[in-house]
Amino acid sequence: MVCSKLRIGILHARWNKTIIDNLVKGAVEKLKLLNVSEENIIIESVPGSFELPFGTKKFVDKYEKLGKPLDAVIPIGVLIKGSTMHFEYICDSVTHQLMRLNFDLGLPVIFGVLTCLTDEQAEARAGLIEGKMHNHGEDWGAAAVEMSVKFE
Ligand SMILES: Nc1c(NC[C@H](O)[C@H](O)[C@H](O)CO)[nH]c(=O)[nH]c1=O
Ligand SMILES: CC(=O)[C@@H](O)COP(=O)(O)O
């Protein structure tokens, strides 16, 4: 399939907005660089990363029913360790459920969740710290395109 015809969904959590916004920006810029049409990049949000798995299913189902099926989805979230085990439980469950959705939905669901111990780790992985790491959103955009067309 020609990349310009691909329809890619981005579903982002709203926690850690500054970091999220840069990750989404990186993913969108990479998708456009790979010739995905802007009107075929569909962005929606959910409250937090815990809502990403079920939100992804509802997102995919919504566009299937609209007759505009998605070719891939990039759930994006930023989890930063606090002072309790809340972080560990969300990271583990969200990771496993997003992986499962690839098989349940039969389309690429890219792992766009940062699981960081500090704000700085997350900022670096969103390309927000000059000279330190790159924006991981770019990697997720590239993975979404590759997995949408691979083995077709
Ligand atoms: N602490 C973070 C959260 N917590 C919120 C949960 O994801 C969820 O929205 C809430 O428990 C209601 O179900 N979410 C993040 O995305 N990042 C965090 O660091
Ligand atoms: C990832 C989280 O849920 C975490 O930020 C919550 O912080 P805390 O463990 O201090 O409640």
Side-chain angles (χ1 to χ4, degrees):
M1 174 186 269
V2 176
C3 290
S4 58
K5 298 291 182 213
L6 291 178
R7 190 178 294 115
I8 308 291
I10 295 177
L11 183 70
H12 69 81
R14 295 192 294 269
W15 273 64
N16 303 303
K17 180 174 177 1
T18 304
I19 301 170
I20 287 282
D21 287 351
N22 223 54
L23 290 166
V24 171
K25 180 169 174 275
V28 169
E29 287 175 355
K30 177 64 78 172
L31 290 170
K32 288 160 69 175
L33 194 67
L34 294 171
N35 294 323
V36 177
S37 307
E38 190 155 4
E39 66 268 17
N40 285 340
I41 301 172
I42 299 148
I43 302 174
E44 304 244 19
S45 73
V46 290
S49 294
F50 185 83
E51 284 72 40
L52 286 173
F54 187 56
T56 295
K57 176 165 175 23
K58 287 176 71 77
F59 187 23
V60 169
D61 291 350
K62 172 182 175 181
Y63 281 86
E64 190 79 30
K65 289 181 189 128
L66 289 171
K68 298 179 179 175
L70 301 176
D71 293 290
V73 190
I74 311 172
I76 294 179
V78 176
L79 285 156
I80 300 174
K81 172 76 178 164
S83 53
T84 70
M85 291 288 288
H86 199 236
F87 168 81
E88 283 81 355
Y89 287 109
I90 296 182
C91 290
D92 187 57
S93 57
V94 168
T95 303
H96 287 291
Q97 293 307 317
L98 290 179
M99 169 63 80
R100 189 173 63 85
L101 283 176
N102 283 269
F103 304 98
D104 290 359
L105 299 175
L107 89 163
V109 176
I110 303 306
F111 187 62
V113 180
L114 296 183
T115 54
C116 298
L117 299 178
T118 64
D119 290 0
E120 187 181 21
Q121 283 182 353
E123 288 160 5
R125 287 156 180 78
L128 287 168
I129 300 178
E130 188 69 33
K132 199 169 184 185
M133 306 191 83
H134 68 281
N135 186 336
H136 287 27
E138 298 165 8
D139 304 336
W140 305 334
V145 170
E146 179 179 348
M147 292 306 289
S148 294
V149 300
K150 210 160 188 80
F151 311 122
E152 290 300 313

